[in-house]
Amino acid sequence: MTFENILSELHEGILQITINRPSKLNALNKETISELHEAFADAREDNDVKVIILTGSGEKAFVAGADISEFSDFSTEEGGELAAQGQAKLFDYVANFPKPVIAAVNGFALGGGLELAMAAHFRIASDNAKMGLPEVSLGLIPGYGGTQRLPQLVGKGRAMEMIMTAGMIDATQALQYNLVNHVCPQDELLDFAEKLANKIMKNSLVAISAAIKAVNANFEDGVNGFEIEIEEFGRSFGTEDFKEGTSAFLNKRKADFPGE
């Protein structure tokens, strides 16, 4: 499928989705958010897609933020609708995606860009990456999950400081804060992401999908994550992947998971 603002390329089970608006530093507008949703929705139904790597085009930015020109004259109601639709269509959709999503953060990840990276299941960054939530400098607050996911990842105090100062942190600080898992040179970023994706694909993707659901449950209000873990653990025993995994272990061979 052809998109205007993103690139989508599948190779040996790894789908690389690239936000491709380099003249706008890959800023998110409504059309790009819709295209990203469509690409992820297609990937959800495509059995050939095992892992997704999400990145930005060029060397300057993952996503430098939202396209402010689209909402600078919005009313209170329009602003609330913008956040609600964006979270449902993209940010929450990515966070709860049943297949692994790795954000490969190259350059700036600001505002909605950092919120998109935080929605991914984990993040790696290039050594020139800069991250921040500068919304309060515009008279706004983060509206795509930033006030919720940043404290979960870096702790309340650091999140409060980052949001209140509207400042940026570099890749080294992001690693110290546990905002990213790894930092590497920019020209090695995608290769490193692919190595991680290949490690993931050696395991049961059915089990990984269940693990994503169980981990996320701990961060949902009114949901007992332990109960979800128990349910998903029990359900695993009925899968073909469990049969193959245990058989391979007992017979001292590598598992060849059917994905069922």
Side-chain angles (χ1 to χ4, degrees):
M1 184 173 292
T2 303
F3 298 102
E4 291 293 325
N5 299 300
I6 67 173
L7 304 173
S8 180
E9 183 180 359
L10 177 63
H11 180 66
E12 295 183 351
I14 303 171
L15 179 66
Q16 182 177 315
I17 298 176
T18 305
I19 297 114
N20 187 37
R21 300 183 74 210
S23 64
K24 298 287 187 178
L25 293 179
N26 302 324
L28 294 176
N29 58 2
K30 290 181 181 178
E31 185 179 3
T32 304
I33 287 174
S34 293
E35 288 187 2
L36 284 166
H37 173 80
E38 190 173 346
F40 272 92
D42 290 344
R44 186 176 188 136
E45 303 302 321
D46 189 344
N47 291 331
D48 291 332
V49 175
K50 311 300 183 186
V51 179
I52 294 175
I53 295 172
L54 182 61
T55 193
S57 64
E59 298 181 353
K60 293 183 178 180
F62 172 74
V63 172
D67 195 331
I68 297 169
S69 63
E70 282 195 339
F71 57 78
S72 59
D73 60 350
F74 271 21
S75 66
T76 301
E77 291 76 15
E78 288 172 321
E81 186 177 347
L82 178 72
Q85 289 182 352
Q87 289 195 39
K89 184 177 285 187
L90 182 59
F91 298 85
D92 288 347
Y93 192 78
V94 170
N96 294 296
F97 201 70
K99 300 178 182 183
V101 181
I102 304 169
V105 180
N106 51 312
F108 291 109
L110 305 175
L114 180 55
E115 288 171 305
L116 181 56
M118 290 191 295
H121 298 136
F122 64 91
R123 291 142 296 285
I124 61 175
S126 59
D127 52 11
N128 70 326
K130 297 280 174 58
M131 303 175 203
L133 295 176
E135 285 86 349
V136 297
S137 69
L138 299 172
L140 295 171
I141 70 167
Y144 287 142
T147 64
Q148 306 304 299
R149 293 192 176 99
L150 187 62
Q152 291 170 3
L153 291 165
V154 307
K156 181 180 177 181
R158 282 174 170 164
M160 285 289 198
E161 180 181 349
M162 287 179 65
I163 292 169
M164 290 178 183
T165 62
M168 292 185 291
I169 62 172
D170 61 21
T172 300
Q173 285 177 289
L175 184 63
Q176 293 172 344
Y177 283 13
N178 295 321
L179 185 52
V180 301
N181 291 21
H182 305 278
V183 175
C184 63
Q186 186 170 39
D187 59 359
E188 298 175 12
L189 182 66
L190 292 178
D191 285 343
F192 188 72
E194 288 178 7
K195 288 179 181 177
L196 288 170
N198 282 312
K199 284 185 178 181
I200 290 170
M201 289 191 296
K202 291 178 181 178
N203 302 307
S204 166
L205 295 175
V206 174
I208 287 173
S209 181
I212 290 169
K213 182 178 179 180
V215 171
N216 282 344
N218 185 55
F219 296 97
E220 295 180 28
D221 287 339
V223 176
N224 187 320
F226 288 100
E227 290 181 358
I228 301 299
E229 180 185 277
I230 290 167
E231 290 173 9
E232 293 301 322
F233 179 76
R235 192 173 287 118
S236 297
F237 283 78
T239 67
E240 294 300 315
D241 276 14
F242 170 73
K243 294 176 184 177
E244 167 60 16
T246 53
S247 174
F249 178 82
L250 294 172
N251 288 285
K252 299 180 179 180
R253 61 176 175 82
K254 289 185 178 180
D256 182 15
F257 293 107
E260 299 175 354

